[in-house]
Amino acid sequence: MGRSPCCEKAHTNKGAWTKEEDQRLIDYIRVHGEGCWRSLPKAAGLLRCGKSCRLRWINYLRPDLKRGNFTEEEDELIIKLHSLLGNKWSLIAGRLPGRTDNEIKNYWNTHIKRKLISRGLDPQTHRPLNDTTTAAAAATTPASRLDFRNISPPSAVVDKTTNKNSILHHKTINKTSSNNNNHNNIILFKPKMEEDNIEEASSGTTTEEDQQQQQQQQQQQKLQDHYMYKCSDLNLDLSIGLEPFQSEPTRASSGNSAESRLQQNNYKVFGTVQKAVVTQAVCLCCQVGFQSSEACRNCQCTNGFYRFHRPLNS
DNA sequence: AAATTCATCAACCGCAGTTTC
DNA sequence: AGAAACTGCGGTTGATGAATT
């Protein structure tokens, strides 16, 4: 049953890493690649637990990390992403190449929070500090905690200007959001609530309780719409297509390869994290189970792994 | 110059979801 | 099926250096 413990805590070092430890970790990963954190410390001759090694590598030693101060553009991007995603630091970090979730989290707490407050904005809600009417509701419903279970299957749309597939609002969408420029592809799931409410209301008798529920739903709908549309100038195409990490020679062939891991993982939309790194974008509509949709004709399925099929002339 | 406060950030902790046995 | 381990995430802590008193 189960497996042996990941490490013997009594024999592990804690606290700051020494240069020697860093070098051992770098050397080991250079040869063997990332992953298998459980067995890594022993194999690399480190008296650390795997978790600690992983953290050290991801947050400090990775060669693709960007050093130095955050730029003004990065600041604004973080603010926008946070307004939409909440404290989903790993998701935010995914949109900022070379930055780690930990780094962004720290930067948020030490700099951006103050910056927003100085602008008269609540760092959690991104609303004016004196806006008491909506702040309370928003505070209990940050974007990352919104319930997206009620969404309708989206239609896949190819943005002709970029040949990028974007899953767009199935009914109405501000057209400028998809044709302004290359950065304006945003996945918008339109929660099917208004329509449903109308149907429900017209199809049967409504009690006081029902009406209250409807009011609550409408209120929630407004909040969701607010979060969905407020950052429509932001590229939040959550299809999975991050840069491959090329310095890991053994990774692609191992069972730990990004693609095999992608196949193993269940991907969720909004509020949870797409974790793998792959070499090509993956059609999100397929990943979330809409691959049978007539609308999605641009995907190919290889071993049950759906990908965009990019036109040759793109 | 010493003490205190503040700011920064690496590292740890605990948890949830996933995977393995 | 279910127990236990693995992985990754977000929140928090604590060490350190800078700024202030």
Side-chain angles (χ1 to χ4, degrees):
Chain A
M1 284 303 124
R3 293 182 292 192
S4 56
C6 71
C7 58
E8 292 177 50
K9 288 188 176 178
H11 300 106
T12 56
N13 289 341
K14 277 184 159 189
W17 279 65
T18 64
K19 281 188 177 179
E20 251 178 59
E21 286 178 312
D22 281 349
Q23 200 51 54
R24 275 179 188 269
L25 184 55
I26 290 168
D27 290 345
Y28 183 87
I29 290 176
R30 193 170 287 158
V31 176
H32 299 93
E34 237 182 276
C36 298
W37 298 111
R38 180 195 171 211
S39 56
L40 188 150
K42 197 176 178 185
L46 288 162
L47 291 173
R48 295 273 179 175
C49 75
K51 208 171 177 178
S52 181
C53 293
R54 176 185 159 271
L55 208 67
R56 182 65 178 172
W57 174 255
I58 287 173
N59 285 335
Y60 200 79
L61 300 175
R62 251 169 48 195
D64 57 334
L65 288 180
K66 193 192 280 185
R67 299 280 172 199
N69 295 336
F70 282 76
T71 64
E72 195 60 34
E73 288 75 27
E74 285 177 313
D75 276 19
E76 293 307 317
L77 185 55
I78 291 168
I79 291 168
K80 281 186 175 178
L81 287 165
H82 186 273
S83 74
L84 194 75
L85 300 167
N87 294 1
K88 296 290 174 189
W89 305 117
S90 62
L91 267 182
I92 293 171
R95 314 302 300 189
L96 286 133
R99 302 293 189 186
T100 70
D101 52 358
N102 205 35
E103 190 178 13
I104 293 170
K105 182 172 60 181
N106 282 330
Y107 187 65
W108 175 269
N109 287 324
T110 56
H111 290 86
I112 300 183
K113 258 185 177 178
R114 262 181 290 158
K115 192 173 181 174
L116 287 179
I117 289 169
S118 73
R119 290 180 186 175
L121 295 171
D122 184 327
Q124 276 311 114
T125 65
H126 296 262
R127 293 163 185 272
L129 279 168
N130 55 3
D131 184 359
T132 53
T133 54
T134 53
T140 57
T141 319
S144 58
R145 289 184 201 145
L146 292 174
D147 186 352
F148 293 103
R149 287 172 297 188
N150 244 347
I151 58 177
S152 309
S155 306
V157 177
V158 177
D159 183 342
K160 297 265 169 64
T161 62
T162 62
N163 276 323
K164 260 186 153 182
N165 293 42
S166 300
I167 304 167
L168 300 173
H169 182 321
H170 75 290
K171 257 178 19 182
T172 57
I173 185 168
N174 179 357
K175 287 181 182 174
T176 59
S177 71
S178 63
N179 59 18
N180 271 353
N181 59 46
N182 289 355
H183 303 293
N184 282 350
N185 297 324
I186 179 168
I187 297 174
L188 292 173
F189 287 85
K190 170 67 173 171
K192 50 175 287 223
M193 290 179 72
E194 288 160 36
E195 226 169 47
D196 292 349
N197 287 345
I198 292 166
E199 282 168 11
E200 282 164 16
S202 60
S203 64
T205 56
T206 56
T207 64
E208 211 169 290
E209 210 172 304
D210 290 337
Q211 284 177 349
Q212 274 184 351
Q213 270 188 353
Q214 280 176 27
Q215 278 177 2
Q216 281 175 4
Q217 284 181 343
Q218 280 167 7
Q219 179 68 23
Q220 193 185 0
Q221 170 68 37
K222 279 180 187 172
L223 280 165
Q224 289 185 4
D225 286 349
H226 170 74
Y227 281 109
M228 291 296 207
Y229 292 102
K230 70 193 285 188
C231 293
S232 58
D233 61 331
L234 197 57
N235 180 3
L236 278 174
D237 184 344
L238 292 184
S239 60
I240 301 150
L242 304 178
E243 71 283 1
F245 188 72
Q246 298 290 9
S247 65
E248 302 165 74
T250 61
R251 187 169 179 166
S253 58
S254 75
N256 230 7
S257 72
E259 186 161 320
S260 67
R261 291 188 68 126
L262 239 185
Q263 287 175 312
Q264 290 162 13
N265 286 340
N266 294 320
Y267 282 79
K268 297 174 183 176
V269 189
F270 287 118
T272 52
V273 181
Q274 290 75 49
K275 293 173 180 176
V277 175
V278 296
T279 55
Q280 284 182 265
V282 176
C283 175
L284 192 58
C285 63
C286 293
Q287 285 295 322
V288 297
F290 302 129
Q291 66 267 31
S292 61
S293 165
E294 280 286 306
C296 188
R297 294 159 189 250
N298 296 297
C299 299
Q300 291 181 326
C301 177
T302 310
N303 301 325
F305 186 66
Y306 285 86
R307 292 184 182 285
F308 283 145
H309 171 56
R310 289 182 189 278
L312 286 173
N313 60 352
S314 65

